Amino acid sequence: MKTLVVGSGAREHAIAAKLETDPEVTEVHAAPGNPGIPESRRHDVAADDVRGLVALAEELGFGPDDLVVIGPEAPLVAGVADRLREAGLSVFGPSKEAARIEGSKAFAKDVMAEAGVLTAHSEGLTAGSSERDISDVLDRFGPRFVVKDDGLAGGKGVVVTEDRQAAREHIEAVLGSGSPVLVESFLAGPELSLFLLVDGETVVPLLPAQDHKRAYDNDEGPNTGGMGAYAPLPWLPDGAVERIVEEVARPVAKELNRRGAPFSGLLYAGLAWGEEGPAVIEFNARFGDPETQAILSLLKTPLGGLLHAVATGRLAEQPPLKWEDGSAVTVVLAAEGYPGRPAKGRPIIGLPEDTDEAYVLHAGTSLDEEGRLVSSGGRVLSAVGRGRDLGEARGRAYRALEPIELQGSFYRRDIGDKAAGIDLS
């Protein structure tokens, strides 16, 4: 089986690296990929260039027995998967209509309401909303305000604050950009991410993980696309994953089917685990970053055949997934200025040798005119550590970051510390 991974981040690097270990996969290509992927397998085609992707697949001799995996959300929401399927390709990733579960938070709320899925109460505001409308909505929420950009915002369109003025300013900024806003009630309880392979109404969960969204230690600073993650979750109650599948994923999959938009791909459920169990914070329509890096490092089941089964409607025929024992941790190395205006073009040196226990995945990297590895995005690298337990995995991930030099870069030093029982104070 030949495979083509669409995208350029650490998520795509993790998928490509995992596909390389699948004995059924003969070739792994990336478009456009990043310098962590061998140059001979990288192709200078943008993730949203449908014609370029179809032409590349034809050039590489792809047929229905091969596989295209779409990593980022924007191409999915734009309908790239539909166009590639029309060209006769087997594609892992939902249709444009099904991807609205991520592309529009209002649509996701409507689906959950029809499916009877527990989530936060919300009210919407649009560009025509007046100052009085904004004040009235804020009066009905609080003392902690949750304000979300209704569209795609790369994980940075959410503000959670007890400062009413900060909530108002974010509302005005999002409305000023032309996007609608949702104001939600705050969901109490620890957060988790559960990735679910979905093929129509067939749902297969992966390992639960926890992301760390804030930029700095102790959950301080602005929201980011994610500064680190760990899997699995030692604090999650027994039977929790099964509850999420039965109370959240299957009802949503059935409702999308009922609407004529069956989901095929990876449904990402971001949840809060409260006194009543799981409540949905958000849905994404693809593998999440940085959770993917940790989760895939523990997957023993060959990835290529699994994703191809989803793409071709055969997920129900697959045997139960197999997992490595132990834990995995991802720590993100970010560029100076992230998540605002990250510094780019700075040299990166000191990357360690990859081992089975720890390795580094590329995200915002590129090669300059002299062939040097330089930063080219906000989240630059992801260090992944595996171990017998969470503490050992954390130690290995952080040791992999120690020799790396990138001027002004930073990373959180508390990824997974609470779950591991580590006091960094």
Side-chain angles (χ1 to χ4, degrees):
M1 179 198 312
K2 294 189 286 288
T3 59
L4 172 63
V5 180
V6 177
S8 60
R11 165 186 49 217
E12 288 76 33
H13 190 185
I15 293 170
K18 197 67 179 181
L19 289 171
E20 290 278 6
T21 68
D22 187 335
E24 295 183 12
V25 173
T26 57
E27 298 177 18
V28 179
H29 298 269
N34 62 47
I37 298 168
E39 184 178 6
S40 61
R41 297 300 187 189
R42 300 198 309 266
H43 305 272
D44 190 17
V45 180
D48 60 355
D49 181 358
V50 177
R51 291 184 179 179
L53 292 171
V54 171
L56 175 61
E58 291 176 351
E59 177 187 334
L60 296 172
F62 271 53
D65 292 334
D66 302 306
L67 178 67
V68 179
V69 181
I70 301 178
E73 59 272 25
L76 292 169
V77 171
V80 170
D82 306 81
R83 300 283 299 279
L84 295 178
R85 288 191 185 98
E86 290 169 4
L89 298 171
S90 295
V91 182
F92 181 84
S95 66
K96 179 179 182 178
E97 187 63 21
R100 290 181 68 199
I101 199 77
E102 176 171 6
S104 168
K105 294 175 180 63
F107 174 79
K109 289 288 187 184
D110 186 57
V111 169
M112 284 186 278
E114 291 295 326
V117 171
L118 184 63
T119 186
H121 167 66
S122 67
E123 294 186 31
L125 293 164
T126 63
S129 300
S130 66
E131 292 286 324
R132 170 53 59 187
D133 293 332
I134 296 173
S135 294
D136 289 346
V137 168
L138 289 174
D139 286 343
R140 292 191 286 273
F141 289 83
R144 183 171 293 184
F145 302 95
V146 181
V147 182
K148 295 183 176 181
D149 185 330
D150 185 48
L152 297 178
K156 300 183 285 291
V158 180
V159 165
V160 181
T161 180
E162 295 181 3
D163 184 333
R164 182 185 173 104
Q165 183 58 32
R168 173 182 283 276
E169 289 174 359
H170 189 59
I171 290 172
E172 293 172 346
V174 175
L175 293 179
S177 72
S179 182
V181 169
L182 283 184
V183 182
E184 293 187 349
S185 57
F186 178 74
L187 292 174
E191 296 183 11
L192 69 141
S193 305
L194 185 63
F195 294 180
L196 305 119
L197 298 172
V198 179
D199 170 13
E201 294 188 14
T202 301
V203 177
V204 176
L206 304 187
L207 290 179
Q210 187 175 64
D211 185 12
H212 293 61
K213 281 290 188 185
R214 298 284 187 172
Y216 311 127
D217 289 354
N218 302 313
D219 290 326
E220 296 180 355
N223 263 355
T224 72
M227 293 297 293
Y230 67 94
L233 307 182
W235 51 265
L236 198 62
D238 291 342
V241 170
E242 291 75 12
R243 280 194 65 182
I244 295 168
V245 169
E246 294 302 325
E247 298 177 18
V248 175
R250 282 208 173 96
V252 165
K254 288 181 179 179
E255 175 60 19
L256 289 172
N257 257 359
R258 188 188 69 80
R259 294 175 179 229
F263 196 97
S264 172
L266 193 291
L267 181 66
Y268 170 136
L271 308 117
W273 192 270
E275 293 182 359
E276 299 179 41
V280 175
I281 299 170
E282 65 175 352
F283 283 118
N284 293 328
R286 38 70 194 183
F287 280 104
D289 183 339
E291 299 100 321
T292 296
Q293 293 90 294
I295 292 169
L296 289 188
S297 74
L298 296 172
L299 180 66
K300 291 177 69 175
T301 299
L303 183 63
L306 184 61
L307 301 189
H308 192 268
V310 176
T312 54
R314 297 180 295 105
L315 180 59
E317 302 170 13
Q318 303 306 300
L321 302 186
K322 295 181 179 180
W323 298 94
E324 302 281 359
D325 294 331
S327 297
V329 172
T330 303
V331 182
V332 171
L333 178 76
E336 182 178 10
Y338 179 74
R341 295 184 177 179
K344 299 180 181 180
R346 292 181 175 176
I348 304 166
I349 60 175
L351 290 184
E353 292 290 329
D354 291 345
T355 69
D356 289 339
E357 298 175 345
Y359 49 91
V360 174
L361 297 167
H362 291 238
T365 68
S366 62
L367 300 176
D368 66 11
E369 294 180 355
E370 299 177 12
R372 298 179 305 173
L373 186 68
V374 297
S375 60
S376 61
R379 292 185 294 176
V380 181
L381 299 167
S382 286
V384 181
R386 297 193 306 187
R388 291 167 296 181
D389 55 32
L390 187 53
E392 187 172 63
R394 286 183 81 258
R396 288 171 174 171
Y398 280 110
R399 281 194 293 275
L401 286 172
E402 288 175 358
I404 300 174
E405 296 181 27
L406 171 60
Q407 180 187 347
S409 64
F410 67 98
Y411 54 87
R412 284 184 58 162
R413 299 177 183 274
D414 63 346
I415 303 301
D417 66 332
K418 293 178 182 178
I422 297 171
D423 184 1
L424 300 180
S425 61

